[in-house]
């Protein structure tokens, strides 16, 4: 999996968009550079300035970024050699005081919020740098790196860094379908670090559970898929890795926001490598909500943690034929980022 993050991006002249930018078609193309050599010095400044295709030169860019709903089809591409060369980050948690009063909450903690449909990102890193150890006074430590609420969003060769609640794949309303596609990405965290009600497909991604001083060490997913939505989270040909002890991490637990009984979360993991941090009991209850009532399943996984036990439901071949990348993504508009990105 190291080739996903250590490989070289396509070459380009200084300031010239590459790869995903070329596929974005016509639009206002701008360059962001922290040293002032581009069109803008900050990401939000480029978004607010009307940039449609935003090329970002290497550096760390601090500050909250919001892609509003009235700005569809925005593309952000890192111009570094690796995804780690361009970092877009902030450092708020749920319990961080908000200058406007109260605290930020989980949604407000997001370093990047995507409400514009058709958003794409390529070859960069999104992070929430909230330091848990430095803020023992903050007990609500959910700290989101990226929140997506729009439909047809896609990320390729992107890293998502955080601890609790790193990637919030959501939608604008409980019964609204919002599709998100992640390919060749890296996601890390510890507690519920991929969560929400979106229809989200992770293909050829590395999903890394951080170790922490707690038992259990963590939970990978916390889906809240609405019962009317047949498609929640799908992981296909991914690698689930960790430095945590054997059998100390759960693959997921069912999140019911505001105790919503219709949030019947779905996580399907298929054709993926699962390391030893996942044990014979791979799923966990969430408060009073039992994992058995959720839509959790595996199919044809391998590795030291890919155990088949009574507590790890497996798809039949017939069921697996309906739980595929195209089945999750296509919809009425035949959206196919897995073919065209």
């Amino acid at each position: 999996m190291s080739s996903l993050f250590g490989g070289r991006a396509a070459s380009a002249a200084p300031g010239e968009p590459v790869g995903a930018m070329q596929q974005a078609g016509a639009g206002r193309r701008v360059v962001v550079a922290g040293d002032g050599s581009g069109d803008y010095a900050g990401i939000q400044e480029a978004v607010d300035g009307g940039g449609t295709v935003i090329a970002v030169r290497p550096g760390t860019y601090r500050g909250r970024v919001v892609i509003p709903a009235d700005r569809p089809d925005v593309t952000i591409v890192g111009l570094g050699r690796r995804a780690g060369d361009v970092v877009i980050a902030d450092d708020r948690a749920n319990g961080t005081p908000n200058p406007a009063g109260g605290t930020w909450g989980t949604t407000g903690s997001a370093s990047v919020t995507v409400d514009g449909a058709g958003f794409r990102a390529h070859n960069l890193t999104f992070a929430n740098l909230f330091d848990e150890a430095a803020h023992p006074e903050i007990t609500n430590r959910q700290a989101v790196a990226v929140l997506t609420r729009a439909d047809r969003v896609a990320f390729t060769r992107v890293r998502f860094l955080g601890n609790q609640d790193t990637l919030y794949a959501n939608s604008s309303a409980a019964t609204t379908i919002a599709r998100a596609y992640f390919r060749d990405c890296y996601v890390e965290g510890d507690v519920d670090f991929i969560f929400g009600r979106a229809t989200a497909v992770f293909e050829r991604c590395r999903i890394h559970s951080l170790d922490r001083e707690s038992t259990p060490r963590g939970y990978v997913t916390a889906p809240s898929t609405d019962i009317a939505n047949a498609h929640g989270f799908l992981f296909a040909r991914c690698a689930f890795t960790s430095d945590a002890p054997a059998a100390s991490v759960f693959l997921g637990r069912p999140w019911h926001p505001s105790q919503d009984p219709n949030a019947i979360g779905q996580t399907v993991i298929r054709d993926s490598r699962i390391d030893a941090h996942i044990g014979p009991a791979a799923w966990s209850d969430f408060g009073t909500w039992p994992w058995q009532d959720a839509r959790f399943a595996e199919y044809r996984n391998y590795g030291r943690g890919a155990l088949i036990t009574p507590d790890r439901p497996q798809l039949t071949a017939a069921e697996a034929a309906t739980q595929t990348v195209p089945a999750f993504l296509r919809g009425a508009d035949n959206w196919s980022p897995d073919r065209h990105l």
Side-chain angles (χ1 to χ4, degrees):
M1 301 296 288
S2 61
S3 62
L4 302 183
F5 322 112
R8 183 172 182 172
S11 60
E16 184 65 25
V18 297
M21 294 187 101
Q22 295 170 344
Q23 299 170 17
R28 181 164 182 250
R29 303 182 180 223
V30 300
V31 173
V32 173
D35 62 4
S37 62
D39 301 298
Y40 299 97
I43 308 299
Q44 189 64 55
E45 183 184 0
V47 173
D48 295 343
T52 301
V53 180
I54 301 170
V56 187
R57 290 182 179 152
T60 297
Y61 298 83
R62 299 288 294 263
R64 188 183 187 194
V65 175
V66 176
I67 311 297
D70 62 359
R71 291 294 316 283
D73 301 318
V74 171
T75 296
I76 302 179
V77 175
L79 294 179
R81 297 177 61 183
R82 299 175 177 83
D85 292 343
V86 173
V87 178
I88 299 172
D90 212 350
D91 61 356
R92 293 181 311 279
N94 178 335
T96 301
N98 186 333
T103 60
W104 283 100
T106 299
T107 297
S109 75
S111 298
V112 177
T113 299
V114 179
D115 286 321
F119 174 83
R120 284 185 279 182
H122 176 72
N123 194 43
L124 49 80
T125 295
F126 295 116
N128 191 314
L129 303 177
F130 174 70
D131 188 340
E132 295 181 350
H135 293 283
E137 78 283 3
I138 296 178
T139 56
N140 292 326
R141 297 178 172 183
Q142 299 89 342
V144 177
V146 172
L147 162 62
T148 68
R149 292 186 291 213
D151 189 31
R152 293 179 290 104
V153 300
F155 301 82
T156 55
R157 293 179 57 92
V158 170
R159 301 192 310 156
F160 301 85
L161 308 183
N163 289 92
Q164 183 172 353
D165 290 10
T166 304
L167 177 55
Y168 193 176
N170 211 37
S171 65
S172 60
T175 58
T176 299
I177 304 296
R179 295 162 293 175
Y181 180 61
F182 304 84
R183 188 173 74 194
D184 296 338
C185 291
Y186 172 85
V187 190
E188 74 173 26
D190 47 38
V191 177
D192 306 332
F193 63 95
I194 300 174
F195 73 112
R197 61 178 175 240
T199 293
V201 170
F202 298 82
E203 189 170 23
R204 301 190 326 220
C205 294
R206 181 180 171 192
I207 313 300
H208 187 71
S209 293
L210 299 172
D211 198 5
R212 64 178 185 139
E213 294 299 323
S214 183
T215 302
R217 290 297 205 263
Y219 311 85
V220 178
T221 68
S224 57
T225 325
D226 188 80
I227 192 171
N229 187 356
H231 301 117
F233 294 165
L234 173 66
F235 297 83
R237 295 187 292 158
C238 293
F240 291 78
T241 65
S242 182
D243 297 322
S248 66
V249 175
F250 289 99
L251 286 173
R253 56 181 181 169
W255 181 37
H256 291 257
S258 302
Q259 302 300 305
D260 180 5
N262 292 323
I264 308 299
Q266 182 189 59
T267 295
V268 175
I269 300 172
R270 60 174 301 164
D271 306 301
S272 295
R273 191 186 94 215
I274 301 177
D275 288 351
H277 62 298
I278 306 298
W283 309 100
S284 175
D285 300 339
F286 203 137
T288 61
W289 299 98
W291 71 263
Q292 292 90 344
D293 292 345
R295 291 173 280 177
F296 294 153
E298 299 177 70
Y299 181 70
R300 219 164 53 182
N301 295 320
Y302 60 96
R304 290 182 297 164
L307 308 173
I308 297 179
T309 74
D311 291 324
R312 296 183 63 164
Q314 304 290 315
L315 298 175
T316 66
E319 290 169 337
T322 70
Q323 305 294 305
T324 63
V325 172
F328 274 61
L329 295 179
R330 294 296 181 262
D333 58 358
N334 197 35
W335 188 50
S336 52
D338 52 309
R339 292 181 178 176
H340 301 303
L341 285 181

